[in-house]
Amino acid sequence: MTQMHRVGAPFDVGHEFEPFVRDSGFPYWNRYAAVNDEFIDIHMDDEAGQAAGYPTAFGMGNLTWAYFHVALHRWLGDESRVVSLSTQFRSAVTRGTQVVVRGTVSAVRVSGVETVLEIDMRAEDSSGNRLAPATAVIALA
């Protein structure tokens, strides 16, 4: 597990965590669909994706949502708690797209015994085109 900071270490506004990168396509979507019983044609068949107006089949929005959670967990470890996470899907993740999740600490405050981080996040493709902006609030014990 990659951790840029250990729990209890200082977190600075402006700090960017190491990008979390995932490829996309049928093998990845199939595994996700198997867990969630989400075998929908637009995620499994290029012709269905094209009929919906995309160049190929496209990934599940909730899989991109899960990538935000995985990126946070890999950065902060088991001692962190996701208080909130919100996102807006701006572009579909079509087959062959590499998804890159990035995040920057935008605020740090102490609340009782916890340090609370506000994080501006985004999922991009490998060219830097924004797929989904997101914000997260994380509590560290």
Side-chain angles (χ1 to χ4, degrees):
M1 175 185 310
T2 300
Q3 283 185 263
M4 298 300 288
H5 290 286
R6 298 268 180 220
V7 173
F11 293 88
D12 299 324
V13 171
H15 173 79
E16 294 183 36
F17 63 74
E18 183 178 326
F20 174 77
V21 180
R22 282 291 182 264
D23 292 329
S24 64
F26 296 133
Y28 308 96
W29 301 337
N30 205 14
R31 285 190 293 274
Y32 187 79
V35 171
N36 295 291
D37 192 25
E38 196 171 343
F39 292 101
I40 301 169
D41 288 347
I42 57 175
H43 303 311
M44 300 291 139
D45 180 73
D46 282 339
E47 288 181 10
Q50 291 165 351
Y54 296 91
T56 68
F58 54 94
M60 300 81 167
N62 284 335
L63 181 55
T64 300
W65 173 269
Y67 290 162
F68 287 120
H69 284 272
V70 173
L72 290 167
H73 178 73
R74 288 200 172 189
W75 174 43
L76 297 169
D78 294 333
E79 300 300 317
S80 62
R81 178 171 54 88
V82 176
V83 176
S84 67
L85 177 69
S86 63
T87 190
Q88 296 177 351
F89 300 110
R90 301 283 173 85
S91 183
V93 176
T94 54
R95 189 167 53 84
T97 300
Q98 188 174 65
V99 179
V100 181
V101 174
R102 299 180 184 279
T104 304
V105 176
S106 58
V108 180
R109 67 180 185 281
V110 175
S111 178
V113 297
E114 295 180 319
T115 300
V116 178
L117 306 176
E118 294 179 21
I119 303 167
D120 290 330
M121 300 179 74
R122 63 199 176 277
E124 306 173 334
D125 65 19
S126 58
S127 297
N129 298 310
R130 193 163 289 197
L131 302 169
T135 56
V137 176
I138 307 300
L140 307 173

